[in-house]
């Protein structure tokens, strides 16, 4: 049964950056809160020649580095580390999988997480299948990039499908594990207030921004072949767009939610060569400063000139009845002056201002859903400024805060992966990306001519 909890988790890429920064801290967070199955064993595997003891030391150091001190409890850390086992192996060598399967032994439900380069996916999946670690109810989670274009994505998906049917394939987009992203669904579909306005009649435009201050962070090999469009837009940002734009699903379940999202992807107006110049802007960061500290430009970090975009802004349209004529502006970049991610919904203004003759201006309402650095939801409304109004009426924009921080102050803010790993272990695919979604996201999109001028504007903060 695909949805009985797994009691064994197998993690490929167990010594890698993602494992250390996100996956081990997430697993620890779940273990510390008693959310993992009591008998869950975790097997890490990677090329590094480590014993289980040595891997536990590596994992312990990762927890010290990446889990805030107030959430670290010595007894819980040590109980968590006891769950870990390690098998050193080269996943590109099929002969090494027997050792892996011997180490895992009999299991009562297996979940596998591939946190490795996609170039290893095919060999790993073949190796798993050859030793019987793909059959039965075994679930497979994969990290992006799942291809750079439709053809390469199909190749990866075909290799996966040869051993794992779609209902046991869990494609990760970690944005879907973010609390505020799910809260967007609660806001839209748990309140009757917004839905009547949530269309071209009530909304003027939508802006989705993911602005980062970090640069390459040692990921040159991956990023140079990807760029901002593939790294951020064609996955995370399109997922956010789909959650804003989709029709109400009949229930909060894997098929219903994903059916609605894929309809949005299929309604996206393609950006072709002819329209790219007028609907997209790209840029690459040059040397500058972040937080007062000098930082090198992209090409300097890379060590050679490059045409890869580290900034992209584009105007998208969802060509359907609900969103006719409503632009969705997406923009993201690295080394921008500030780290913030948000969805900004600009409603239409009132049709006629009764205050105009009294000197007051009325601004249209806005809904701002902040994902980072803080998680807040804020509705900006017009209110009258107190006073006797002898010089005219003054209206002011005031925020109605539906902020996570205040309303749920005693709840720990979880890492997005905690939710996703738990869903993988328990077999709930609702927040994972289905094959047809990935393929619809990857339909050909062109970018406008690469514009160096954009890097300069970015540095000056104009695009933040
Ligand atoms: C990753 C991208 O998927 O998301 C990174 O590969 C990016 O380039 C990261 O920095 C952003 O994630 P978050 O959760 O920090 O917004």
């Amino acid at each position: 049964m695909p949805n009985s909890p797994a009691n064994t988790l197998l993690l490929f890429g167990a010594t890698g950056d993602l494992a250390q920064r996100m996956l081990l801290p997430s697993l620890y967070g779940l273990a510390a809160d008693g959310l993992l199955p009591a008998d869950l064993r975790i097997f890490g595997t990677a090329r590094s020649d480590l014993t289980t003891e040595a891997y536990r030391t590596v994992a312990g150091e990762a927890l010290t580095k990446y889990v805030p001190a107030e959430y670290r409890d010595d007894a819980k850390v040590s109980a968590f580390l006891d769950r870990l086992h390690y098998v050193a192996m080269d996943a590109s060598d099929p002969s090494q999988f027997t050792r892996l399967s011997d180490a895992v032994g009999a299991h009562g439900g297996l979940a596998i997480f591939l946190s490795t380069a996609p170039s290893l996916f095919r060999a790993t999946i073949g190796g798993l299948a050859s030793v019987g670690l793909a059959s039965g109810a075994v679930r497979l989670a994969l990290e992006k990039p799942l291809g750079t274009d439709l053809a390469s994505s199909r190749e990866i998906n075909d290799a996966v499908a040869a051993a794992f049917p779609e209902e046991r394939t869990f494609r990760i987009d970690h944005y879907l594990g973010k609390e505020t992203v799910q809260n967007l669904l609660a806001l839209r579909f748990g309140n009757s207030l917004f839905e009547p306005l949530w269309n071209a009649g009530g909304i003027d435009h939508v802006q989705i921004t993911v602005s980062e201050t970090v640069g390459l962070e040692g990921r040159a090999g991956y990023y140079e072949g990807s760029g901002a469009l593939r790294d951020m837009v064609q996955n995370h940002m399109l997922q956010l767009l789909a959650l804003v734009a989709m029709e109400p699903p009949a229930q909060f379940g894997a098929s219903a939610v994903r059916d609605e999202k894929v309809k949005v992807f299929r309604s996206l107006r393609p950006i072709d060569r002819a329209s790219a110049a007028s609907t997209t802007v790209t840029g690459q960061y040059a040397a500058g400063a972040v937080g007062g500290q000098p930082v090198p430009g992209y090409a300097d970090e890379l060590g050679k000139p490059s045409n890869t975009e580290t900034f992209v802004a584009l105007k998208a349209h969802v060509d359907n009845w609900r969103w006719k004529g409503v632009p969705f502006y997406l923009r993201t970049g690295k080394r921008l002056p500030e780290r913030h991610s948000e969805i900004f919904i600009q409603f239409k203004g009132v049709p006629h201002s009764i205050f105009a003759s009294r000197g007051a201006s009325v601004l249209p309402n806005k809904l701002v859903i902040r994902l980072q650095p803080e998680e807040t939801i804020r509705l900006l409304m017009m209110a009258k400024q107190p006073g006797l109004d002898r010089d005219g009426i003054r209206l002011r924009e005031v925020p109605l805060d539906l902020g996570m921080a205040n309303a749920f102050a005693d709840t720990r803010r979880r890492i997005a992966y905690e939710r996703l790993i738990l869903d993988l272990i328990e077999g709930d695919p609702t927040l994972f990306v289905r094959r047809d979604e990935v393929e619809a996201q990857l339909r050909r999109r062109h970018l406008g001519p690469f514009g160096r001028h954009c890097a300069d504007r970015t540095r000056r903060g104009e695009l933040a």
Side-chain angles (χ1 to χ4, degrees):
M1 276 194 339
N3 49 8
S4 58
N7 76 350
T8 306
L9 178 68
L10 182 51
L11 175 59
F12 283 82
T15 53
D17 188 54
L18 186 75
Q20 301 210 23
R21 279 191 310 123
M22 297 287 169
L23 306 182
L24 290 167
S26 298
L27 282 161
Y28 166 72
L30 293 169
D33 292 346
L35 294 169
L36 292 181
D39 58 346
L40 184 85
R41 301 171 305 155
I42 302 167
F43 286 86
T45 167
R47 253 183 249 216
S48 311
D49 189 15
L50 299 174
T51 59
T52 287
E53 264 329 296
Y55 182 61
R56 287 178 181 168
T57 306
V58 170
E61 284 165 5
L63 298 187
T64 307
K65 197 161 165 197
Y66 296 113
V67 176
E70 67 264 35
Y71 300 130
R72 269 191 337 255
D73 172 291
D74 287 347
K76 288 179 176 174
V77 168
S78 135
F80 171 70
L81 295 179
D82 283 347
R83 290 176 185 259
L84 301 183
H85 306 268
Y86 185 79
V87 180
M89 66 173 280
D90 175 357
S92 65
D93 177 358
S95 71
Q96 303 198 9
F97 281 80
T98 314
R99 211 154 36 79
L100 178 67
S101 114
D102 289 347
V104 170
H107 61 80
L110 175 64
I112 302 173
F113 194 123
L114 298 192
S115 168
T116 55
S119 54
L120 281 174
F121 286 175
R122 183 186 287 276
T124 308
I125 290 165
L128 289 167
S130 72
V131 295
L133 287 179
S135 49
V138 179
R139 294 187 273 275
L140 180 77
L142 304 112
E143 265 292 334
K144 79 165 172 64
L146 297 178
T148 48
D149 55 16
L150 191 52
S152 56
S153 158
R154 281 193 176 140
E155 239 173 74
I156 293 176
N157 281 325
D158 286 344
V160 173
F164 292 90
E166 185 61 34
E167 67 274 14
R168 294 199 275 115
T169 303
F170 288 60
R171 291 179 198 80
I172 293 189
D173 185 313
H174 78 276
Y175 267 55
L176 294 178
K178 290 184 189 278
E179 193 63 34
T180 351
V181 173
Q182 293 158 46
N183 215 354
L184 169 61
L185 296 180
L187 190 79
R188 280 197 63 193
F189 305 124
N191 298 290
S192 56
L193 207 60
F194 295 108
E195 182 54 23
L197 288 175
W198 209 263
N199 52 46
I203 291 179
D204 181 77
H205 71 268
V206 176
Q207 296 178 32
I208 301 177
T209 306
V210 179
S211 155
E212 299 188 279
T213 50
V214 292
L216 265 184
E217 294 199 298
R219 298 161 77 220
Y222 153 73
Y223 197 88
E224 176 60 7
S226 163
L229 185 74
R230 294 195 187 107
D231 184 47
M232 295 298 291
V233 177
Q234 282 185 320
N235 38 61
H236 307 322
M237 300 187 78
L238 285 187
Q239 284 289 337
L240 298 181
L241 181 151
L243 296 176
V244 171
M246 72 183 185
E247 296 300 314
Q251 64 268 131
F252 188 57
S255 298
V257 170
R258 299 188 299 178
D259 285 350
E260 293 309 334
K261 281 194 292 167
V262 85
K263 283 188 215 161
V264 174
F265 298 133
R266 291 193 183 128
S267 312
L268 279 173
R269 187 180 303 170
I271 296 180
D272 57 21
R273 229 173 263 288
S275 59
S278 60
T279 53
T280 68
V281 178
T282 56
Q284 186 187 88
Y285 62 82
V290 170
Q293 295 303 313
V295 287
Y298 178 81
D300 306 325
E301 279 185 70
L302 191 66
K304 59 176 186 194
S306 155
N307 274 336
T308 298
E309 81 287 352
T310 64
F311 175 91
V312 57
L314 58 87
K315 183 171 161 185
H317 285 275
V318 180
D319 281 333
N320 65 15
W321 194 310
R322 184 187 283 262
W323 296 112
K324 175 80 190 155
V326 179
F328 286 73
Y329 297 101
L330 311 186
R331 58 184 176 172
T332 184
K334 295 209 178 279
R335 288 275 193 244
L336 293 177
E338 199 181 276
R339 176 176 187 240
H340 80 260
S341 307
E342 70 181 25
I343 300 169
F344 176 100
I345 317 268
Q346 167 88 64
F347 290 95
K348 290 200 162 149
V350 294
H352 164 75
S353 171
I354 64 167
F355 303 105
S357 58
R358 301 285 206 99
S361 49
V362 178
L363 300 175
N365 299 133
K366 300 156 186 101
L367 178 67
V368 186
I369 300 164
R370 234 331 138 108
L371 316 178
Q372 271 152 195
E374 69 284 351
E375 299 184 331
T376 55
I377 300 182
R378 174 172 279 199
L379 184 60
L380 297 167
M381 317 264 295
M382 295 311 292
K384 182 181 165 303
Q385 199 162 307
L388 297 177
D389 311 319
R390 296 304 92 186
D391 306 328
I393 293 182
R394 297 231 155 68
L395 299 182
R396 211 175 56 203
E397 198 171 51
V398 290
L400 257 185
D401 273 321
L402 313 167
M404 306 282 293
N406 300 334
F408 305 102
D410 49 350
T411 312
R412 172 169 73 86
R413 188 174 166 180
R414 290 189 183 276
I415 306 169
Y417 282 95
E418 288 185 56
R419 168 65 183 250
L420 299 176
I421 291 175
L422 193 58
D423 285 353
L424 167 70
I425 289 171
E426 293 181 348
D428 180 353
T430 310
L431 296 177
F432 294 82
V433 184
R434 214 166 53 188
R435 176 173 183 160
D436 53 355
E437 289 183 75
V438 181
E439 295 186 354
Q441 285 173 343
L442 281 172
R443 275 188 315 154
R444 270 169 85 77
R445 298 204 195 294
H446 289 276
L447 283 183
F450 178 70
R452 288 297 296 215
H453 66 281
C454 188
D456 301 330
R457 291 169 60 202
T458 301
R459 230 181 13 201
R460 292 200 302 269
E462 291 170 22
L463 297 174

